[in-house]
Amino acid sequence: MTGRFEFVLIDPVRDSSLKIAIPHACRVRTLGDLFSFYRFADLETLASASASASAGQLLELRRYADSLFLLTDGGALGELDPDLRFKIGGRACDLDHRFDGATAAGPIPIEIDRSHTGYTRNWPAYLSRRWGLRADAFSEFVESVVEEAYGREAGTVLRLDAPDRVRRFLTAVAGRIHAAPYETYSRYLEPCSPFRGCDQTLDRILEGDGGNCAEKAMALYLVAHAYGIQAEVVLGGEEAVGSFPYRTLRSILDRRTFDFAGTQDAQRYWQHYAILCRLAGDAEEHLFCDVAGSNIPFLCLCTEEASAYLNPACRKAIRVAITLEPIRLYYHRLARRQDLPLDLYYAMEHFIESIDVIQTVDNELGLLHTGDYWVGAVAYRGRRELGRIMGEYERFVGRAGFDARADLCFTRNLISARHPLLEQFLGAYPRGASRINAADTRIRQRIRSADPHLETCYVIVNLKKKAVRS
């Protein structure tokens, strides 16, 4: 006997697993006993039962718990979500399932099925709990950003007791989040997460990485909540003009039909995330923040300036070329319908299978957008399909007036600089290239998990025309 029970919680949709080691003295006889111990135990006890446990694994144990248990308003773990289902050895089992000493044979895999659960997250409690797990590191980061922006005035700004101080605070923090890379590559780095919670994104930003528009916006949402600033999510999308299709999108969430078939026009309206924060002491004064990055400009607009983009009677678009083709990006405020963006975020975390591959490859968010380069992953079946895809990229680059030979590069990896454009990218962004290389094995594994016949290569597009010398 190992002196402990070992279990592995497996979430197929998120392609994640978590090992739990419990001392034999705890007498875990049933599946219900396991979750009861997980809920009430000091998680350091769980970690200490595993010889290889690290601080990072302990953090993941704590994070994983609130995907299983309902949260009380105070942020404590409540009862196990009653709509979760479980399988052991491929067979459905309930909480009365007995282990009967089988742990001697090794870790017991327990598959978690969320297909019957709804949108049960208590968001205020969740935000408080997630901030609390890393409060010291997060607070130090935020306060350092404010100190860098305002120097000796930082202490005054951090009081957040007047609208102007809240505005200055948010401007500094939002600017720092906007400056973080627009990327999806870090989803494929340990601890891997096909779509990240807001605190996980903030972790990545502290490490020098970033996220996509939704992840970065929700990182700002987390900071606002931690500092007592009321915030709401604003949705938007390319050519998302007209009335917001709430009922259609709510139906997609409730039925979990996330494919574009028949609903592509409606789903344009939730392509993009931004945040609207209320300034202290004035219910009518807000600050509208778009922190996505890439080639979307940093927006940090007070009420009057923001009204041009949020007023449904005369909505103005942001005109931007995210890659090479210009688009019009429209925003929609959902003041009394915050269930929609928050539930969509929850769905991307827990319900949409292969969300990482869908967003990186299918939706062409790419792995990294630096503003002057876009690096994507291409999935293909054989040389003929790769040739077709390469032709589409060449035409796309050509329509924008770029030279496909100089401004487009396909490569097996981002190491050997056999193409001038690859060499330029490696020289300009060595860390970004290094991070993608570190994620390479996981990227290919995730793409093949969707289809074992798929091969992968990378594509680099130059987004900035060189100045013509006279």
Side-chain angles (χ1 to χ4, degrees):
M1 299 293 284
T2 62
R4 62 183 183 267
F5 294 96
E6 290 186 335
F7 305 90
V8 180
L9 302 181
I10 300 170
D11 190 331
V13 172
R14 290 183 58 79
D15 188 36
S16 68
S17 62
L18 183 76
K19 180 180 286 188
I20 297 178
I22 300 177
H24 260 276
C26 296
R27 297 182 180 276
V28 172
R29 295 188 176 91
T30 68
L31 184 59
D33 290 341
L34 167 64
F35 288 114
S36 180
F37 185 85
Y38 189 10
R39 175 187 172 188
F40 291 110
D42 177 353
L43 292 186
E44 292 182 5
T45 302
L46 291 176
S48 65
S50 173
S52 61
S54 65
Q57 289 169 321
L58 176 58
L59 176 62
E60 292 308 309
L61 277 168
R62 288 175 167 152
R63 282 175 168 159
Y64 201 88
D66 61 36
S67 72
L68 299 173
F69 302 94
L70 304 180
L71 296 180
T72 68
D73 289 341
L77 298 178
E79 66 173 323
L80 188 71
D81 188 327
D83 294 318
L84 288 172
R85 301 291 184 269
F86 307 98
K87 291 181 181 179
I88 296 178
R91 300 179 64 180
C93 61
D94 57 26
L95 296 178
D96 293 330
H97 175 85
R98 296 187 65 85
F99 296 121
D100 295 327
T103 51
I108 296 179
I110 302 169
E111 185 176 314
I112 299 171
D113 177 4
R114 302 182 190 277
S115 61
H116 299 280
T117 65
Y119 299 95
T120 55
R121 175 173 287 167
N122 179 337
W123 272 92
Y126 166 81
L127 294 169
S128 296
R129 173 179 168 80
R130 284 301 183 96
W131 181 272
L133 296 179
R134 294 267 287 149
D136 290 346
F138 291 161
S139 297
E140 181 180 352
F141 167 73
V142 169
E143 289 164 19
S144 70
V145 168
V146 175
E147 288 170 3
E148 183 178 352
Y150 301 115
R152 294 180 180 179
E153 296 182 75
T156 302
V157 172
L158 286 165
R159 292 177 189 168
L160 301 175
D161 54 358
D164 184 60
R165 290 169 182 169
V166 176
R167 178 189 60 78
R168 296 176 74 188
F169 171 86
L170 289 169
T171 300
V173 176
R176 174 64 181 82
I177 294 174
H178 178 269
Y182 185 100
E183 54 87 2
T184 67
Y185 65 71
S186 64
R187 299 182 187 188
Y188 305 93
L189 296 170
E190 291 293 337
C192 301
S193 180
F195 190 86
R196 291 169 292 214
C198 42
D199 60 318
Q200 293 172 307
T201 303
L202 199 53
D203 267 346
R204 289 300 191 184
I205 292 172
L206 266 66
E207 293 175 14
D209 302 314
N212 74 348
C213 67
E215 291 166 328
K216 293 171 75 175
M218 291 302 289
L220 179 60
Y221 189 82
L222 173 66
V223 173
H225 182 271
Y227 283 83
I229 301 169
Q230 294 183 19
E232 64 185 66
V233 180
V234 173
L235 291 179
E238 181 181 352
E239 297 299 330
V241 68
S243 299
F244 189 85
Y246 175 84
R247 291 185 179 179
T248 300
L249 296 177
R250 185 71 255 178
S251 175
I252 292 170
L253 285 175
D254 293 340
R255 296 168 57 193
R256 303 188 194 173
T257 52
F258 298 105
D259 61 272
F260 264 28
T263 59
Q264 184 172 0
D265 286 343
Q267 291 198 52
R268 285 188 290 109
Y269 286 76
W270 65 15
Q271 289 174 340
H272 189 69
Y273 273 60
I275 299 294
L276 188 69
C277 297
R278 186 169 75 83
L279 302 184
D282 192 331
E284 300 302 321
E285 282 295 317
H286 295 84
L287 196 69
F288 175 52
C289 303
D290 191 325
V291 296
S294 71
N295 278 338
I296 298 176
F298 175 46
L299 298 185
C300 202
L301 307 176
C302 290
T303 303
E304 186 175 349
E305 298 171 296
S307 65
Y309 302 103
L310 300 179
N311 186 342
C314 53
R315 199 184 312 276
K316 181 180 178 181
I318 293 287
R319 296 179 180 271
V320 60
I322 296 177
T323 49
L324 296 179
E325 294 182 344
I327 67 166
R328 296 189 301 174
L329 175 63
Y330 288 89
Y331 298 95
H332 292 263
R333 185 180 179 188
L334 307 166
R336 290 178 293 278
R337 291 176 168 174
Q338 284 291 287
D339 62 292
L340 191 82
L342 295 178
D343 287 351
L344 173 61
Y345 200 87
Y346 186 87
M348 289 189 285
E349 284 185 84
H350 294 295
F351 294 152
I352 304 178
E353 195 165 359
S354 299
I355 183 68
D356 48 351
V357 176
I358 290 170
Q359 292 191 331
T360 298
V361 180
D362 299 347
N363 295 350
E364 296 184 315
L365 297 188
L367 291 161
L368 177 63
H369 192 312
T370 66
D372 47 358
Y373 295 93
W374 179 84
V375 182
V378 173
Y380 61 95
R381 299 176 186 84
R383 297 187 62 84
R384 178 176 295 181
E385 184 171 10
L386 177 59
R388 178 184 59 78
I389 294 171
M390 292 174 69
E392 291 175 354
Y393 271 96
E394 289 169 359
R395 289 188 289 275
F396 173 73
V397 168
R399 286 196 302 269
F402 285 68
D403 182 352
R405 293 170 296 179
D407 298 316
L408 176 67
C409 170
F410 289 85
T411 179
R412 173 70 180 175
N413 57 56
L414 301 183
I415 299 174
S416 56
R418 299 177 181 175
H419 190 286
L421 182 62
L422 175 56
E423 185 176 356
Q424 293 163 23
F425 171 73
L426 293 176
Y429 298 97
R431 185 182 187 279
S434 174
R435 298 293 273 174
I436 294 173
N437 285 329
D440 178 80
T441 299
R442 171 75 174 181
I443 292 168
R444 297 178 189 278
Q445 181 266 319
R446 288 293 292 155
I447 289 173
R448 283 185 171 170
S449 70
D451 183 337
H453 302 294
L454 287 174
E455 299 178 71
T456 302
C457 71
Y458 298 109
V459 56
I460 303 174
V461 179
N462 174 38
L463 303 179
K464 301 294 183 183
K465 286 186 178 180
K466 297 178 177 65
V468 178
R469 296 180 179 178
S470 57

